Amino acid sequence: MNLFAKVPRMKSITQNSTPSKILSGKVVTLLFYEPSSRTFASFAAAVKRLGGQTLEIIDPTNFSSVSKGESFEDTINTFEAYSDMIILRHPQKGASENASLQAMVPIINAGDGIGEHPTQALLDLYTIYEQYGRLENLTGVLTGDILNGRTIHSLIRGLSLFKNNTLYLLSPRELKLSDADRKEFIKRNISIIEIHKESDIPQNADFWYWTRVQKERFITNQEYEKVKNKFILSRDLVDKYAGKDTIFMHPLPRVGEIMPEVDLDPRAYYLRNQIRNGMYVRMALLALVLGGIK
Ligand code: NCD
């Protein structure tokens, strides 16, 4: 909540193009082993809006000494020597945790394989909080790749920190929660209902959170084709199950699972508030962790 309290200030720095010195003198490495648009650009913009500078290393597997066989540990040691923080996206679950065990500078997890995407969860939680003024007593529908979607895993974790939330997880059976994740979430303070058909979507949920099926996590294209786009957010679905205040969210990119006909609906937040909040929330996080803001 301390983080969320900083967001309006970040919004104002951005909207008024106020020169900020919060990160002046700081250099932040963005080390991205996997493709990214929003996470990469919003972090880069966040550092710059706060007066810091970035070292941007995209696809190190092909364009750095990693291609010569350098170990992950050596790469982390190198960039921590050059910068005050490393923001890491990596295809392996647990990579950020490993990096943080050996680095002296803060590591921010910008997505680790099918594991977690904590800063996405922060911006998602902020978007819900901005809408409802609370993070308790909420009902949400999370749809798509529940098995592999790290944004889903982190959002469930995040919402489990607050009281009395109920999440319907809608997916093809092949993409339901792994047994390990289910066990872990059951222990947490959240009520989870796994569903596999549209007609089980509850009426008037507070938010819908749609995701793409994570093609890059499948071994064959055939397996992916079998399960992709089983549940499509369309005008018709909205008319059947959404309430007048239900907000529609998506971490993006979307690849066909939300029809463009929904984009102009005022409840569609994925191309509007949710994206903008991504940068503001990341600015607030950087200001707290690196900028000495209390
Ligand atoms: C997500 C990711 O990379 O996990 N994108 C993002 O960071 N906004 C979701 C996705 O790729 O499906």
Side-chain angles (χ1 to χ4, degrees), residues 35-36 38-39 89 110 117 120 150-151 212 214 216 250-253 282:
S36 170
R38 279 145 292 269
T39 307
R89 169 165 290 197
H117 195 345
Q120 178 72 41
R150 56 195 174 199
T151 63
R212 80 183 162 95
Q214 310 274 299
E216 65 275 36
H250 192 303
L252 302 176
R282 289 182 171 118

Side-chain angles (χ1 to χ4, degrees), residues 58-222:
I58 300 174
D59 193 11
T61 314
N62 291 309
F63 291 101
S64 78
S65 288
V66 176
S67 71
K68 304 178 190 168
E70 183 173 74
S71 72
F72 179 60
E73 290 71 21
D74 287 1
T75 305
I76 294 295
N77 282 333
T78 302
F79 289 109
E80 80 165 330
Y82 300 152
S83 56
D84 303 291
M85 168 187 270
I86 299 174
I87 298 171
L88 177 68
R89 169 165 290 197
H90 197 278
Q92 247 144 38
K93 187 173 173 174
S96 292
E97 197 177 353
N98 290 341
S100 73
L101 293 177
Q102 78 162 56
M104 300 301 286
V105 299
I107 303 282
I108 293 192
N109 180 358
D112 63 330
I114 64 165
E116 301 290 333
H117 195 345
T119 61
Q120 178 72 41
L122 289 174
L123 78 95
D124 294 336
L125 292 173
Y126 184 80
T127 303
I128 297 169
Y129 179 73
E130 191 176 41
Q131 175 73 9
Y132 291 107
R134 65 174 200 274
L135 286 172
E136 318 175 326
N137 303 320
L138 293 164
T139 299
V141 179
L142 275 52
T143 304
D145 198 339
I146 311 288
L147 176 66
N148 300 305
R150 56 195 174 199
T151 63
I152 299 239
H153 303 155
S154 292
L155 185 56
I156 297 174
R157 245 171 231 278
L159 283 165
S160 73
L161 299 173
F162 302 89
K163 276 191 290 194
N164 204 21
N165 291 318
T166 301
L167 298 178
Y168 288 76
L169 308 184
L170 171 64
S171 73
R173 284 181 196 279
E174 295 91 327
L175 300 180
K176 64 184 191 239
L177 276 180
S178 69
D179 292 341
D181 281 342
R182 185 175 309 102
K183 261 194 211 138
E184 144 100 41
F185 294 140
I186 284 172
K187 280 192 259 156
R188 288 174 169 258
N189 178 28
I190 190 133
S191 155
I192 286 191
I193 302 164
E194 294 182 89
I195 57 175
H196 306 290
K197 48 184 200 302
E198 273 175 20
S199 54
D200 287 337
I201 296 177
Q203 294 285 340
N204 305 326
D206 298 306
F207 64 92
W208 287 4
Y209 191 89
W210 239 253
T211 63
R212 80 183 162 95
V213 173
Q214 310 274 299
K215 187 177 182 189
E216 65 275 36
R217 311 296 175 209
F218 287 75
I219 295 163
T220 65
N221 201 42
Q222 210 181 359

